[in-house]
């Protein structure tokens, strides 16, 4: 391997995506032509207001919801915070117990930790070796003080898809609200909030080729929830702050495009993912595929390579233009091993040797070939110089 980048290959779509041209085109008029405040009463603001409400309708359609159940936010983190803190505050008299899983995004885990400091109790459900939550564990964890169950639709690191419909049914059977963080799932997993018995759902625009700084929270009509941000009367008095009209319009267009043909999109992306997984496992020994082999996002491939560090893999790949990750983008720079991988039973050493490759619309078969050519060489080079590699497995590095 040399030190010169050869060609750019972006395989970190779980971290963020580029905006599609049609999304940018939909947003453009709302930066200049329709710049009025949508909350104003005069005619000039009508275009802005229509843009916001049109986007609300698109999000509702994608989720099988009603437009009045969709509230725009600044992203998935705000949506998660609002859902969990809002329900907890509204239900204090009923009880102070929340059920979630050990592999949630930090936007959920840190919110639950904060609530624990305020006197709430939190049960963190374990997962199996594939990262799946057992619905039976959800049922066993619910008590007469439980006010919310929060389990993500699909994991951002290992791609495992949870049995959300079954979990939602169990929560409702016990009279408990159910929230799901669907940030990684939109455009990849068909969502029907009624059929899946979802009361609250978080999403983020930049995960499905929309603009950053945009998101939404679905709140089932009749759900008791306190506001997170106070101020003016925007979003029907539930979320204060002047609306980010261009961003909201872009979010609406992006979710329309992302959910137009989920099955066809998944079929194309999964074919590349499966060839990538087979190629890595066939050519690199002492490698483990993390996450469920079948119930996983179509674009996700997460591996653990023994005897090497994930950060070193990233640096070698980056030198050749390959963008990847060792886990959640929000955890980059942290010296701690992935809490998700540890929860699936990996040792800290195995978790530190992880690599996440997440595909997107622009990836091609040539990209897969390129990664399969360079990755085995990168892992081999690192193992030859790693003190963790057993002597019998270490091969002298070529001159």
């Amino acid at each position: 391997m040399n030190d010169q980048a050869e060609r750019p290959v972006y395989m970190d779509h779980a971290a963020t995506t580029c905006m599609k041209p049609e999304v940018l085109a939909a947003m453009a008029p709302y930066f200049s032509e329709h710049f009025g405040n949508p909350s104003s009463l005069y005619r000039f603001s009508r275009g802005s207001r229509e843009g916001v409400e049109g986007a609300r309708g698109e999000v509702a359609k994608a989720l099988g919801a009603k437009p009045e159940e969709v509230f725009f936010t600044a992203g998935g983190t705000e949506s998660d915070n609002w859902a969990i803190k809002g329900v907890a505050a509204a239900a204090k008299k009923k009880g102070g117990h929340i059920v979630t899983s050990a592999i949630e995004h930090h936007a959920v885990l840190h919110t639950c930790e904060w609530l624990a400091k305020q006197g709430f109790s939190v049960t963190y459900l374990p997962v199996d070796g594939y990262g799946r939550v057992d619905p039976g564990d959800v049922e066993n964890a619910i008590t007469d003080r439980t006010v919310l169950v929060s389990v993500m639709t699909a994991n951002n690191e290992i791609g495992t898809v949870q049995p959300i419909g079954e979990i939602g049914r169990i929560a409702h059977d016990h009279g408990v609200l159910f929230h799901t963080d669907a940030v990684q799932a939109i455009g990849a997993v068909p969502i029907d909030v009624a059929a899946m018995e979802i009361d609250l759902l978080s999403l983020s625009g930049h995960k499905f080729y929309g603009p950053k700084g945009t998101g939404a929270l679905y709140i089932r009509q009749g759900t008791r929830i306190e506001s997170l941000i106070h101020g003016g009367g925007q979003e029907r008095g539930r979320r204060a702050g002047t609306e980010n009209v261009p961003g909201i319009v872009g979010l609406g267009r992006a979710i329309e495009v992302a959910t137009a043909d989920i099955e066809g999109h998944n079929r194309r992306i999964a074919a590349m993912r499966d060839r990538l997984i087979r190629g890595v496992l066939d050519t690199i020994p002492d490698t483990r595929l993390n996450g469920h082999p079948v119930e996983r996002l179509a674009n996700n491939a997460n591996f653990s390579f023994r005897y090497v560090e994930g950060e070193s893999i990233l640096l070698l790949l980056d030198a050749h233009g390959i963008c990847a990750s060792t886990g959640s983008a929000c955890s980059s720079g942290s010296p701690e091993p992935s809490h998700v991988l540890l929860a699936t039973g990996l040792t800290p050493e195995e978790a530190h040797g992880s690599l996440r490759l997440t595909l997107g619309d622009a990836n091609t078969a040539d990209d897969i070939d390129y990664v399969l050519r360079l990755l085995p060489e990168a892992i081999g080079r690192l193992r030859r110089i790693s003190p963790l590699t057993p002597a019998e497995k270490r091969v002298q590095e070529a001159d």
Side-chain angles (χ1 to χ4, degrees):
M1 298 182 75
N2 57 55
D3 294 328
Q4 300 300 314
E6 296 183 19
R7 60 191 292 264
V9 174
Y10 185 75
M11 288 193 179
D12 200 19
H13 289 84
T16 195
T17 59
C18 66
M19 273 206 303
K20 290 191 172 180
E22 56 264 50
V23 174
L24 184 59
M27 295 171 64
Y30 296 89
F31 287 107
S32 54
E33 182 181 351
H34 302 299
F35 67 86
N37 190 319
S39 298
S40 298
L41 297 177
Y42 41 74
R43 183 184 309 173
F44 188 70
S45 292
R46 191 174 301 153
S48 298
R49 189 158 55 249
E50 289 173 352
V52 169
E53 295 311 316
R56 199 185 311 278
E58 292 297 342
V59 174
K61 179 181 177 183
L63 303 179
K66 303 173 185 176
E68 57 268 27
E69 296 175 317
V70 174
F71 299 85
F72 292 114
T73 68
T77 294
E78 182 190 328
S79 296
D80 284 341
N81 271 258
W82 184 9
I84 297 170
K85 292 177 180 176
V87 167
K92 280 190 298 187
K93 291 183 179 179
K94 176 189 174 184
H97 178 232
I98 296 167
V99 177
T100 189
S101 86
I103 64 167
E104 298 298 307
H105 190 277
H106 283 127
V108 169
L109 294 179
H110 289 171
T111 299
C112 289
E113 290 169 9
W114 182 85
L115 284 171
K117 294 176 182 178
Q118 316 307 312
F120 288 82
S121 61
V122 183
T123 296
Y124 298 94
L125 300 174
V127 294
D128 63 19
Y130 297 131
R132 290 263 284 184
V133 173
D134 184 342
D137 288 343
V138 176
E139 187 155 33
N140 293 336
I142 293 174
T143 73
D144 58 1
R145 289 182 49 78
T146 306
V147 297
L148 180 69
V149 171
S150 180
V151 176
M152 67 195 332
T153 307
N155 187 263
N156 49 300
E157 292 191 39
I158 59 176
T160 297
V161 179
Q162 302 295 345
I164 292 302
E166 191 173 355
I167 294 172
R169 177 188 59 77
I170 289 170
H172 284 182
D173 284 348
H174 291 271
V176 175
L177 294 175
F178 176 49
H179 164 252
T180 188
D181 175 341
V183 166
Q184 288 292 334
I186 300 299
V189 178
I191 301 290
D192 185 322
V193 291
M196 301 168 92
E197 302 198 40
I198 297 169
D199 298 297
L200 304 108
L201 178 146
S202 305
L203 59 87
S204 181
H206 77 107
K207 301 294 187 177
F208 47 88
Y209 305 94
K212 294 175 178 62
T214 65
L217 178 64
Y218 157 76
I219 305 175
R220 184 185 294 275
Q221 206 163 32
T223 299
R224 294 185 65 244
I225 183 170
E226 295 290 338
S227 295
L228 180 68
I229 297 177
H230 300 89
Q234 292 87 0
E235 292 300 282
R236 299 183 300 286
R238 306 293 288 272
R239 197 274 188 183
T242 300
E243 295 89 345
N244 172 12
V245 179
I248 288 171
V249 170
L251 171 66
R253 182 69 177 118
I255 203 169
E256 178 186 15
V257 174
T259 58
D261 182 18
I262 293 177
E263 183 178 345
H265 177 267
N266 282 350
R267 190 162 48 245
R268 187 184 80 83
I269 297 295
M272 290 192 292
R273 176 206 64 188
D274 291 343
R275 191 161 71 85
L276 175 63
I277 290 173
R278 286 195 303 270
V280 169
L281 296 180
D282 288 347
T283 59
I284 307 176
D286 294 311
T287 298
R288 165 193 165 117
L289 175 67
N290 297 313
H292 199 282
V294 178
E295 299 296 333
R296 71 185 301 131
L297 294 174
N299 75 335
N300 180 287
N302 187 303
F303 306 97
S304 285
F305 303 98
R306 296 190 69 184
Y307 319 125
V308 297
E309 290 282 338
E311 290 80 3
S312 299
I313 304 172
L314 292 188
L315 291 173
L316 283 181
L317 293 181
D318 181 58
H320 290 266
I322 299 171
C323 303
S325 172
T326 57
S328 169
C330 300
S331 298
S332 60
S334 170
E336 298 300 318
S338 161
H339 70 284
V340 174
L341 296 178
L342 293 180
T344 64
L346 268 65
T347 65
E349 292 76 19
E350 290 170 327
H352 271 304
S354 70
L355 176 71
R356 183 185 70 180
L357 298 163
T358 45
L359 311 179
D361 288 353
N363 289 127
T364 65
D366 288 342
D367 293 339
I368 305 301
D369 293 339
Y370 185 62
V371 172
L372 290 178
R373 176 166 67 87
L374 290 177
L375 184 58
E377 187 179 350
I379 300 300
R381 177 177 176 179
L382 292 172
R383 284 176 172 169
R384 286 192 290 270
I385 62 175
S386 171
L388 300 175
T389 305
E392 65 271 17
K393 291 181 177 288
R394 188 179 293 113
V395 178
Q396 291 298 320
E397 189 172 5
D399 292 335

